[in-house]
Structures are given as structure tokens and as C-alpha cells.
Amino acid sequence: MIAAVWQKSSKSKTGALESRAGFKGLVRKGLILLVVLIGVQLDAILGLQAFCRTAIVLFFCGNEGLSIVENLGIMGLPLPGFVKTKFEQLKAKGNPDENSPEE
């Protein structure tokens, strides 16, 4: 929706739809399903009752949920101040300042 309607996608140069970015997204979703399948197999091998699978699915649900909320903010939906602050903090951690010394 961000790319198709608002043309504000960070995954393409123009911000619009791009087949390469779409393909990368499909590959990413396929890999997520593969990781869940591995979790199911780990549960079967270790005799756990869906522990690994549930942990993996909850992690990816949380990750996708954050992405959805961030995209809603880009679309113009008003978000509470604390949510905006947390996203800014996450972006700052992900994009360290070029002037800061490397570890």
C-alpha cells in the first residue's frame, strides 16, 4: 500500500512499486515459512509441545505488527507520541551516526 498508493516506499528509488522489491518480499515471506517449518520439526525431534514453533511464530507476528504500525504512520494515521518516539529510537539504533566512532 505504501508503494502503490502513497509512493513512499523506502525499498525503491522512486518510492513506487518495483518488481525487484516485491520479489525480495516474497522470498522473505517464503524464508519465514521455512523457519516456522524448522521450528515444527525441532518440536517433533525434541518432543516439545509446539514450544519452538510458537516462539518463532510470535516473534514474526511481533515483527510484522511493528512493520504494519510503522506503515500506518507513513500513510498518515495519527500515532500516539510514545509510539513515534520508540520508532525514532529504533531507527537511531539501526542507523548509527556517521560521525560516531566505530566499535
Side-chain angles (χ1 to χ4, degrees):
M1 291 295 293
I2 293 292
V5 178
W6 284 268
Q7 298 189 354
K8 294 182 180 180
S9 175
S10 62
K11 297 186 172 61
S12 67
K13 292 178 184 177
T14 63
L17 284 174
E18 186 178 279
S19 60
R20 186 175 185 88
F23 178 73
K24 287 166 79 174
L26 288 174
V27 169
R28 182 174 173 257
K29 300 299 184 206
L31 291 174
I32 288 172
L33 289 173
L34 179 64
V35 171
V36 172
L37 178 63
I38 291 170
V40 169
Q41 294 302 315
L42 277 174
D43 285 335
I45 291 169
L46 299 175
L48 301 173
Q49 293 184 352
F51 176 78
C52 294
R53 180 200 66 195
T54 303
I56 291 168
V57 168
L58 288 176
F59 169 78
F60 283 120
C61 284
N63 189 37
E64 292 299 317
L66 285 174
S67 177
I68 290 169
V69 170
E70 184 178 20
N71 287 336
L72 289 172
I74 292 171
M75 288 185 221
L77 184 76
L79 298 175
F82 73 92
V83 173
K84 290 180 184 178
T85 304
K86 290 299 178 186
F87 278 126
E88 289 170 8
Q89 290 173 354
L90 287 172
K91 284 181 184 179
K93 284 183 180 181
N95 300 321
D97 188 16
E98 292 86 25
N99 297 331
S100 66
E102 296 286 327
E103 292 186 284

